[in-house]
Amino acid sequence: MLGAVVGLRALSSGDVLPLTFTLATLGLLMATVAVRERKIRWGYGAGAAFVSAGLSYLFYLGFRDVQWYVIPSGLYLLLLAHPMRAFQGGQRVSQIAEAGAAMLMLGPTLVQAVSNSDLVALAYTVALCAEAGLFLGYGTLLKLRVPFASGAIFFVLGVLWMSVDPLRAANKWVLLGALGLLLVGVYVLLERRQEQLARAGRLWVERISGWR
């Protein structure tokens, strides 16, 4: 009760330091209950309270970029998916948590890359490709479908957005010629390697379908 009062007072006054203390205390209480009662849901609550306390303290220190807040939250969701899958058998719920982590961590970076311009946009686009590559590698190593697919999708989006400005600056005739050569090359590749590519595609689909 006292913690709730302190938290409400902190929100009303705009001072987040008491709110940080309240959240950290709440996390300790939940962790204690989780150990004593041996119920994992209290552990989830404790983790969420500690993450919220850390984010609140970052705000108190003056960090305002959204990346400081979405990355810890996304990492918490990724970590949360493991006990859900291992101890509770929540395959569907864990996949939802992983999808939420991907959107939380990669979505704002994509928005920042699109909404900015020049070098700032390029920096965010490179960051998006790096983060998506980490998701792709994470999904591949642990054989997790949602992180793998999320990383692949956002990586492709990052590469496409990075190619927009050079394509705009290129000569139209040169661009059309390069596109024609690319289409011819793709046709020749499909014509000669159609069976091998189809077999490789089926193997990849079968392999990914067996992931969690």
Side-chain angles (χ1 to χ4, degrees):
M1 179 63 73
L2 180 60
V5 172
V6 174
L8 291 174
R9 182 176 178 81
L11 289 175
S12 62
S13 63
D15 187 4
V16 297
L17 194 57
L19 179 61
T20 303
F21 173 76
T22 303
L23 292 170
T25 304
L26 180 62
L28 289 174
L29 290 175
M30 287 186 171
T32 303
V33 174
V35 173
R36 184 172 181 177
E37 300 292 333
R38 295 184 178 180
K39 293 182 178 179
I40 195 170
R41 63 175 179 270
W42 290 103
Y44 296 157
F50 285 132
V51 171
S52 300
L55 298 180
S56 176
Y57 190 64
L58 285 176
F59 186 83
Y60 171 77
L61 293 177
F63 293 93
R64 295 294 184 267
D65 194 291
V66 68
Q67 299 293 332
W68 291 102
Y69 302 95
V70 297
I71 291 178
S73 302
L75 289 175
Y76 172 71
L77 287 178
L78 280 180
L79 293 175
L80 191 65
H82 286 285
M84 286 180 177
R85 181 179 287 110
F87 301 114
Q88 295 181 320
Q91 177 74 10
R92 181 70 62 181
V93 178
S94 62
Q95 288 179 342
I96 292 175
E98 290 164 350
M103 291 303 300
L104 194 60
M105 297 175 68
L106 302 177
T109 311
L110 177 61
V111 172
Q112 288 171 317
V114 173
S115 59
N116 286 284
S117 58
D118 299 331
L119 293 178
V120 177
L122 179 61
Y124 278 117
T125 306
V126 172
L128 174 64
C129 292
E131 293 175 6
L134 291 176
F135 260 86
L136 191 62
Y138 175 78
T140 303
L141 289 175
L142 298 184
K143 296 183 178 180
L144 301 174
R145 281 180 289 179
V146 173
F148 175 82
S150 301
I153 292 172
F154 277 95
F155 186 83
V156 171
L157 290 176
V159 172
L160 290 177
W161 182 251
M162 192 181 297
S163 306
V164 169
D165 287 337
L167 289 177
R168 288 177 178 175
N171 184 280
K172 292 183 178 180
W173 292 108
V174 175
L175 183 61
L176 288 174
L179 182 60
L181 290 176
L182 178 62
L183 291 176
V184 171
V186 171
Y187 174 77
V188 172
L189 179 63
L190 291 176
E191 185 69 24
R192 294 185 177 182
R193 302 291 182 179
Q194 183 176 4
E195 185 177 350
Q196 292 89 334
L197 291 174
R199 187 184 303 114
R202 287 194 298 268
L203 288 175
W204 263 104
V205 171
E206 292 175 0
R207 180 179 300 179
I208 295 176
S209 62
W211 291 1
R212 296 173 291 175

